[in-house]
């Protein structure tokens, strides 16, 4: 019986091998944190910063902030909020990529957002590394204030705050990361307490950058920038028709349109 159990155990181990070891935190430009291990991003190829149009101020501010972090001086946690498709996530990746090209020792770590409770484990892993890290929480939002309290502690005031070589950068469609329910506020014993609890997380970010919906000229400028970089011609009327059919003018829609142009021209991107 013992031999049979041993054979079964060996067979199960072969079918389900142990997870691969964590990636070296000094070896790769970007990682995914899955809650237990760092995994290198297979192909980290952010857009060059000069291709991102219409966000010049936000670009300069975020680049300066993470250049400070990479240089070992004081830097802010950052919240990028605003309309969907306006380049928030692209800007985070491009800033890190630009700093790496400049020779700075900094990496991006994207955290799966349902694993926020494992952030202290990640911080312990990278705290002593001679490198800076942008901890990236993409498209974050909470349905209730209680869900956000753990992150509030990590940002400021908790016993296990993030280490000095790491800063958190969050993108969200919500300025305050949580929906603001007027009925809920009215039902609270003290309405001000409800509002304060919702705003407390957003207030933890020293840097808050807003991204707003584009007008037609801004949309066409972004299309023109992408098209020029790829050697593509386009007709403004065709670009406007593309956006109208999708009910949105944004950097994302502009990129989808330029991808379509490249496909029509038989070019890779």
């Amino acid at each position: 019986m013992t031999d049979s159990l041993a054979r079964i155990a060996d067979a199960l181990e072969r079918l389900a091998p142990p997870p691969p070891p964590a990636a070296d935190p000094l070896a790769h430009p970007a990682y995914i944190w899955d809650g237990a291990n760092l995994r290198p991003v297979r192909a980290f190829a952010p857009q060059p910063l000069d291709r991102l149009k219409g966000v010049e101020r936000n670009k300069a501010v975020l680049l300066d902030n993470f250049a400070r972090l990479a240089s070992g001086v004081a830097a802010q946690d950052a919240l990028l909020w605003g309309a969907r498709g306006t380049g928030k996530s692209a800007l985070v990746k491009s800033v890190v990529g630009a700093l790496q090209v400049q020779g700075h020792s900094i990496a991006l770590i994207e955290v799966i957002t349902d694993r926020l409770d494992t952030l202290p484990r990640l911080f312990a892993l990278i705290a002593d590394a001679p490198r800076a890290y942008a901890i990236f929480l993409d498209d974050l939002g909470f349905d209730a204030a209680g869900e956000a309290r753990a992150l509030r502690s990590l940002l400021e005031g908790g016993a296990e705050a993030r280490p000095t070589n790491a800063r958190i950068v969050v993108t969200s469609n919500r300025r305050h990361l949580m929906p603001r329910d007027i009925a809920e506020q009215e039902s609270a014993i003290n309405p001000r307490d409800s509002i304060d609890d919702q705003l407390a997380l957003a207030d933890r970010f020293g840097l808050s950058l807003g991204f707003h919906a584009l007008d037609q000229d801004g949309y066409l400028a972004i299309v023109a920038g992408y098209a020029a970089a790829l050697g593509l011609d386009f007709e403004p009327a065709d670009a406007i028709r593309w956006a109208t059919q999708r009910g949105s003018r944004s950097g994302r829609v502009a990129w989808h349109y330029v991808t379509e142009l490249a496909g029509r021209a038989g070019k890779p991107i």
Side-chain angles (χ1 to χ4, degrees), residues 58-70 73-75 95 99:
N58 288 349
K59 186 192 306 185
V61 171
L62 195 66
L63 182 66
D64 178 66
N65 185 64
F66 281 100
R68 294 179 190 176
L69 175 66
V73 300
V95 160
L99 291 172

Side-chain angles (χ1 to χ4, degrees), residues 153-174:
S153 258
L154 292 169
L155 284 165
E156 182 183 324
E160 292 185 290
R162 73 276 181 278
T164 57
N165 64 335
R167 287 296 177 270
I168 293 173
V169 55
V170 168
T171 66
S172 177
N173 294 338
R174 303 169 180 170

Side-chain angles (χ1 to χ4, degrees), residues 185-254:
Q185 294 171 24
E186 290 175 348
S187 68
I189 295 174
N190 184 336
R192 185 66 212 174
D193 288 347
S194 176
I195 296 170
D196 285 347
D197 201 34
Q198 291 185 353
L199 300 184
L201 177 55
D203 285 348
R204 292 293 197 277
F205 293 90
L207 192 58
S208 180
L209 301 175
F211 291 70
H212 306 289
L214 294 169
D215 60 16
Q216 183 168 290
D217 289 343
Y219 165 72
L220 289 174
I222 293 174
V223 171
Y226 282 146
L230 297 170
L232 298 168
D233 296 322
F234 79 100
E235 292 293 332
D238 187 45
I240 292 168
R241 189 178 307 112
W242 178 274
T244 301
Q245 290 171 348
R246 282 146 188 81
S248 173
R249 289 189 298 254
S250 70
R252 181 179 297 148
V253 171

Side-chain angles (χ1 to χ4, degrees), residues 78-86 88-89 92 136-142 169-179 201-202 205 209-211:
L79 171 62
L80 281 58
W81 58 270
R84 71 186 191 278
T86 48
K88 301 182 293 294
S89 300
V92 172
F136 183 33
L137 310 182
D138 192 25
D139 196 21
L140 187 64
F142 299 100
V169 55
V170 168
T171 66
S172 177
N173 294 338
R174 303 169 180 170
R175 183 173 186 176
H176 301 298
L177 296 171
M178 287 172 285
L201 177 55
F205 293 90
L209 301 175
F211 291 70

Side-chain angles (χ1 to χ4, degrees), residues 86-164:
T86 48
K88 301 182 293 294
S89 300
L91 180 58
V92 172
K93 296 171 186 176
S94 292
V95 160
V96 173
L99 291 172
Q100 291 170 346
V101 168
Q102 293 172 15
H104 290 282
S105 182
I106 185 171
L108 184 79
I109 300 178
E110 184 168 356
V111 175
I112 297 173
T113 54
D114 64 357
R115 309 289 171 83
L116 298 185
D117 60 324
T118 68
L119 279 173
R121 191 181 311 162
L122 169 62
F123 293 159
L125 179 67
I126 63 174
D128 297 325
R131 194 181 198 187
Y133 297 93
I135 309 300
F136 183 33
L137 310 182
D138 192 25
D139 196 21
L140 187 64
F142 299 100
D143 292 326
E147 297 175 5
R149 289 190 182 115
L151 181 56
R152 272 164 44 185
S153 258
L154 292 169
L155 284 165
E156 182 183 324
E160 292 185 290
R162 73 276 181 278
T164 57

